Amino acid sequence: MKAYKIGLYEKAMRDDLSWAEKLSCAKECGYDYVEISIDASEEKIQRIYMSDEERKELVDTMFEVGLPIRSMSVSALTKYALGDSDPKIRHRGEEILEKSIKLAADLGIRTVMVPGYDIYFGESTVETKKYFLQNIKAGAQIAAREGVLLGFETMENEFMNTTAKGAKYVSMVESPYLKIYPDSGNITNAAVLHKHDVCEDLSVGKGNLIALHLKETKPGTFREVPFLTGHVEFERIIEEAWKLGVRRFVTELWDVGQPEWKEDICFANKSMRAILDRQDN
């Protein structure tokens, strides 16, 4: 058995596929698990209200296909930010986070990725940062109760675009259930912008890294860049992450209607596994 596992971000696949079809697709392309998306669409947010029967059915599907869902991206917290100054928006974010953690526990998901935003649609202030910290502390307590790890995703804005900035909040919260889930593409863009070494930044997270998003980017472009066409130094970053103890990796890419979407998924797996296998020898 390999010393690592590699997962596939759900949104790399066609949205109209059933869960059985999505899990089968990931399995056919060589993945070990899928990362489920709880994004800002009401359709995806409704997943946190699944009935017990629906939860059991999804778990049964994982066993039938032979591939699990083992991580979760709660990108709905972009729209419903935990630090938003509007209490209605903020409280909706709190509910989404709590119910996402409970869903993760019920489905056997190990890690819940929280986007590193105090606020996305609005201005970051002392107040938004205060609310964010307050709600992250509350979320960490819920995660501790449920036995699920939370991980900050490093994002594209200045609030938390580096591993070091994520480490600052991990230090302030002081919970064994709150760690960092860096995005290789986002921390690369931050390193280029601020002229620091991306692996040096990653090393600041030593002891607090639970997984790594493998995503391609270009300077100023954070999404939908095909693998190996951008500037992310996957070889260096994966080698550094491996030294730091990371053994779970997820390829993050999107289906944007391209006819070769499945080929893109398989290519991402093949190209990243080639690097990961070199670490495993």
Side-chain angles (χ1 to χ4, degrees), residues 7-103:
L8 175 65
Y9 184 46
E10 178 195 352
K11 294 177 83 169
M13 297 176 281
R14 287 281 148 93
D15 196 45
D16 59 359
L17 297 179
S18 67
W19 267 117
E21 291 170 328
K22 286 179 179 178
L23 295 172
S24 295
C25 173
K27 186 176 182 180
E28 289 165 13
C29 287
Y31 286 91
D32 300 308
Y33 65 97
V34 165
E35 181 167 278
I36 187 174
S37 170
I38 308 294
D39 68 20
S41 68
E42 283 305 316
E43 176 194 2
K44 293 291 195 300
I45 290 173
Q46 284 304 307
R47 289 173 166 177
I48 66 178
Y49 303 107
M50 278 186 203
S51 66
D52 289 346
E53 292 75 18
E54 290 171 318
R55 293 171 195 231
K56 182 180 182 303
E57 182 181 348
L58 183 49
V59 171
D60 289 344
T61 300
M62 295 182 214
F63 277 96
E64 288 164 10
V65 173
L67 194 92
I69 300 168
R70 283 295 177 262
S71 60
M72 174 189 289
S73 168
V74 191
S75 54
L77 297 177
T78 300
K79 181 178 181 180
Y80 299 103
L82 294 174
D84 201 294
S85 54
D86 184 332
K88 289 184 180 179
I89 294 175
R90 191 170 66 250
H91 296 332
R92 179 71 163 135
E94 293 165 19
E95 179 188 21
I96 289 170
L97 179 58
E98 179 171 8
K99 290 188 177 297
S100 293
I101 294 169
K102 184 61 170 66
L103 176 63

Side-chain angles (χ1 to χ4, degrees), residues 198-211:
V198 66
C199 288
E200 184 178 296
D201 172 59
L202 195 60
S203 72
V204 177
K206 184 177 182 179
N208 287 310
L209 305 177
I210 56 173

Side-chain angles (χ1 to χ4, degrees), residues 131-148:
Y131 286 135
F132 177 78
L133 179 59
Q134 175 182 305
N135 282 320
I136 283 297
K137 285 181 176 179
Q141 290 177 0
I142 296 164
R145 181 190 72 202
E146 299 297 334
V148 174

